[in-house]
């Protein structure tokens, strides 16, 4: 049994080191037995080469003489090279040191990287595993090339064509088996092609800094500036590249010329704490200076959150808009536009949150006596980040339903700032629909222990959502389906570890399909109810809803993280078409934000997540564009470098789109000291001009 367990889990560092010592010992014994014959052959070859060289070049005579001095005739027999004992010991130490390093590398990869390396793996196996992880194709004979390269490569007499925008399926399957995860996924292009026939897929951006793209652009720059693929260095010594240097700089890629392209308005999001808890404008003079600088480069406007927890903090329908009045007046005098967010969630605890703004105090009091107004997980933990949409129609908020509370708040805002609507200063109102203002369940709360790339948990265990589930099960004729899945794992589980989300799991069974359909419909119905009232409150003004990209586990069959967030989007179903249709019904804009691959570098330690942010983004964008829904966007994390801006530009104005689709607007996250630094600000000004379709002075990176 112990042997079987050891074979299953691999070996430890101690086993590798013991194995190392045995290998060195065996090598030493073999050297003692066969050393004479082997050295005899090597030295004879060296003598022949030395003699041939000396006959053609007298400069080689000293070297020839040195070889002859080392050659004798022991026992009157063959030629033997005298090998000093100290040299043999140094060779053993070097070999032992090299093998010890290899053993530690292998042990670390097996333990932390989940690489399926054999016990006696050598450095070639390590290089091959790392190359495959970086997106390269490594054939059995060692032939290596990028998975996105064009043309054909020959291996063992077989020609293999590699599509420039797809991965090799067999290679993906091999990588999956190495990770120990079910191969129930496909490349993003195959996935989207099979599910969205006839949709536009953009040309891959040269600024995509995904690991596979980085592996292709890494280069060895020689004297003449030529580039050699990085695998030419593998197995070579730096001593052999005398006049060459390794340059770890991004290549100078030609940029697209955006002059004459459609005008995309750009807004800058104001700091979260621009209005304090007393609804007072913070540092008005400093903000005015920054807004004037933004105005000088022709920014279109700013975005600001109108926090429910500040405006209606103390009593129902007791609204305080004082700080926002001063802010809006300042923006109006500068002739800037406003995008306003109706923020019905708490602030704090999420990425980028530097202030804490809870829900209104009177709502928290209700929650203490009736915690079922908040989302609840299977263990009964409450999440007070926002209200459960199980109470959308329940009069539990001092005689009002949740949607009535939202409507009264929006109507008060519309009445208070009527002049700004009449003058067109307020260009768009984004309506908060869930955690972080996004239309989704709070399935991945950090406060409950979730960490990337966990699948999250279903959030349907408050009294009101369970009552809705019970009614749906009875209507379906299956009253025993009035419960959530009991095999869906926990916040930090992975799909293959659960019976519900694994390949062929219960998510695709009769009960699973029923539950996920109800769960996702509750999400869409909530958005439908709130947006219908928002349209009524802000009649004549553009409204928007925000969706985030749950990109991890996108390449698996179940799309587990999306399912727990409320997006019924497994590999055999389009989960975003219903949301796009709902937005179209209300004439709303889709504000979509997704972490691009180059901002996910901090997650490169989690290759098992099978994330595909770009594939998800294009699925959602195509779903919206197919429904004729305008798309706005914002960067999920601060960015100040040109490569990140170029990627945003490529997404905002897709190259080669026959219909000329482009973003409705873009909001930059966020105004602050880093943006106002000279170098960062100049780069942002350049980005702004290109979003506006203007020509820039320097067309090269």
């Amino acid at each position: 049994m112990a042997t079987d367990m050891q074979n299953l889990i691999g070996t430890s560092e101690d086993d590798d080191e013991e194995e190392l010592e045995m290998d060195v010992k065996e090598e030493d014994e073999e050297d003692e037995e066969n050393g004479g014959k082997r050295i005899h052959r090597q030295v004879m070859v060296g003598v022949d080469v030395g003699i041939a060289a000396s006959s053609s070049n007298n400069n080689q005579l000293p070297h020839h003489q040195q070889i002859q001095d080392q050659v004798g005739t022991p026992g009157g027999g063959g030629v033997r090279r005298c090998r000093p004992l100290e040299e043999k010991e140094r060779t053993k130490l070097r070999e032992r040191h090299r093998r010890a390093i290899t053993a530690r590398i292998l042990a670390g990869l097996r333990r932390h990287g989940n690489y399926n390396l054999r016990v006696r793996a050598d450095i070639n196996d390590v290089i091959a595993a790392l190359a495959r992880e970086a997106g390269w194709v490594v054939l059995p004979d060692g032939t290596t090339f990028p998975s996105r390269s064009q043309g054909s490569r020959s291996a063992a007499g077989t020609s293999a064509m590699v599509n420039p925008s797809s991965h090799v399926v067999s290679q993906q399957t091999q990588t999956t088996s190495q990770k120990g995860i079910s191969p129930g996924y496909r490349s993003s292009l195959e996935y989207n092609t099979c599910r969205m026939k006839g949709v536009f897929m953009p040309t891959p951006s040269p600024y995509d800094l995904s690991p596979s793209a980085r592996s292709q652009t890494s280069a060895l720059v020689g004297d003449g500036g030529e580039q050699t693929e990085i695998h030419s260095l593998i197995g070579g010594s730096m001593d052999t590249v005398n006049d060459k240097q390794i340059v770890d700089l991004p290549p100078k890629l030609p940029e697209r010329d955006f002059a004459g392209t459609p005008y995309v308005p750009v807004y800058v999001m104001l700091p979260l704490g621009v209005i304090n808890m007393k609804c007072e404008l913070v540092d008005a003079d400093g903000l005015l200076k920054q807004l004037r600088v933004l105005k000088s480069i022709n920014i279109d406007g700013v975005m600001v959150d109108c926090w429910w927890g500040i405006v209606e903090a103390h009593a129902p329908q007791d609204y305080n808009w004082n700080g926002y009045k001063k802010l809006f007046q300042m923006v109006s005098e500068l002739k800037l536009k406003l995008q306003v967010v109706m923020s019905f969630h708490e602030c704090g605890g999420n990425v980028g949150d530097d202030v804490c703004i809870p829900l209104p105090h009177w709502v928290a009091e209700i929650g203490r006596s009736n915690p079922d107004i908040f989302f609840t997980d299977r263990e009964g933990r409450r999440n007070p980040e926002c209200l459960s949409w199980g109470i959308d129609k329940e009069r539990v908020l001092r005689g009002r339903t949740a949607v009535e509370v939202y409507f009264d708040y929006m109507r008060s805002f519309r009445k208070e700032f009527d002049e700004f609507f009449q003058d067109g200063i307020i260009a768009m109102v984004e309506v908060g629909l869930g955690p972080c203002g996004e239309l989704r369940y709070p399935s991945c709360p950090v406060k409950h222990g979730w960490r990337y790339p966990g699948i999250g948990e279903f959030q349907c265990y408050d009294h009101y959502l369970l009552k809705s589930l019970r009614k749906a099960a009875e209507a379906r004729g299956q009253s025993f389906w009035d419960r959530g899945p009991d095999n869906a794992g926990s916040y930090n589980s992975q799909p293959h570890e659960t019976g519900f989300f694994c390949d062929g799991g219960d998510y695709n069974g009769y009960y699973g399909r029923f539950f996920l359909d109800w769960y996702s419909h509750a999400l869409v119905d909530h958005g439908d109810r709130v947006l219908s009232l928002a349209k009524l409150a802000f009649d004549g003004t553009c409204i928007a809803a925000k969706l985030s990209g749950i990109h991890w586990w996108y390449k698996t069959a179940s799309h587990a993280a999306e399912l727990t967030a409320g997006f019924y989007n497994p590999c055999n179903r389009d989960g975003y078409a219903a949301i796009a249709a709902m937005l179209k019904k209300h004439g709303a804009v889709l504000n979509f934000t997704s972490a691009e691959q180059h901002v996910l570098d901090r997650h490169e330690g989690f290759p098992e997540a099978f994330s595909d942010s770009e594939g998800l983004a294009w699925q959602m964008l195509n779903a919206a564009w197919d429904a004729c829904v305008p798309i706005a966007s914002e960067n999920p994390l601060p960015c100040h470098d040109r490569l990140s801006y170029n990627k945003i530009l490529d997404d905002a104005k897709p190259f080669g789109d026959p219909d000329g689709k482009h973003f409705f607007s873009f909001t930059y996250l966020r105004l602050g000291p880093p943006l106002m630094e000279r170098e960062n600000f100049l780069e942002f000004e350049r980005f702004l001009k290109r979003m506006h379709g203007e020509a820039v002075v320097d067309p090269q990176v």
Side-chain angles (χ1 to χ4, degrees), residues 523-544:
L523 175 82
V524 177
D525 290 344
H526 167 71
D528 182 47
R529 286 189 290 267
V530 178
L531 289 180
S532 64
L533 294 177
K535 184 179 180 180
L536 180 62
F538 303 120
D539 185 29
T541 301
C542 177
I543 61 174

Side-chain angles (χ1 to χ4, degrees), residues 95-139:
E95 181 66 16
R96 186 175 291 110
H97 180 65
R98 183 185 67 80
R99 288 173 177 257
I101 293 175
T102 302
R104 293 189 185 96
I105 292 175
L106 299 180
L109 290 174
R110 278 193 291 266
R111 178 177 301 174
H112 305 294
N114 199 23
Y115 286 91
N116 186 22
L117 297 172
R118 58 190 178 90
V119 174
R120 289 181 177 269
D122 57 17
I123 193 63
N124 291 335
D125 297 312
V126 176
I127 294 173
L130 295 176
R132 293 188 183 104
E133 181 65 26
W136 294 68
V137 176
V138 182
L139 300 180

Side-chain angles (χ1 to χ4, degrees), residues 233 235-241:
L233 292 175
S237 170
M238 286 301 297
D239 295 333
T240 63
V241 246

Side-chain angles (χ1 to χ4, degrees), residues 146-221:
S147 62
R148 291 177 179 263
S149 61
Q150 298 183 357
S152 59
R153 305 280 181 166
S154 174
T158 303
S159 177
M161 294 298 295
V162 182
N163 189 292
S165 58
S166 64
H167 297 282
V168 179
V169 178
S170 61
Q171 179 62 27
Q172 290 180 333
T173 306
Q174 182 178 1
T175 304
T176 308
S177 62
Q178 289 176 347
K179 292 293 182 181
I181 296 178
S182 172
Y185 72 95
R186 291 167 289 185
S187 69
S188 60
L189 184 67
E190 291 177 307
Y191 177 83
N192 288 294
T193 301
C194 74
R195 199 160 77 169
M196 299 182 291
K197 299 296 184 183
V199 301
F200 169 70
M201 292 300 293
T203 304
S205 170
Y207 309 104
D208 184 2
L209 299 186
S210 64
S212 60
R214 283 196 301 272
S215 67
Q216 295 179 53
T217 58
S218 300
L220 175 68
V221 180

Side-chain angles (χ1 to χ4, degrees), residues 44-76:
M44 287 300 293
V45 172
V47 171
D48 292 340
V49 172
I51 294 173
S54 64
S55 64
S56 60
N57 188 352
N58 293 332
N59 292 334
Q60 298 293 330
L61 286 176
H63 177 66
H64 182 199
Q65 184 63 36
Q66 182 180 0
I67 294 177
Q68 289 179 334
D69 292 340
Q70 294 179 358
V71 176
T73 55

Side-chain angles (χ1 to χ4, degrees), residues 554-569:
Y554 184 80
K555 289 183 179 179
T556 60
S558 62
H559 293 218
E562 292 172 84
L563 297 185
T564 59
F567 305 126
Y568 191 8
N569 191 51

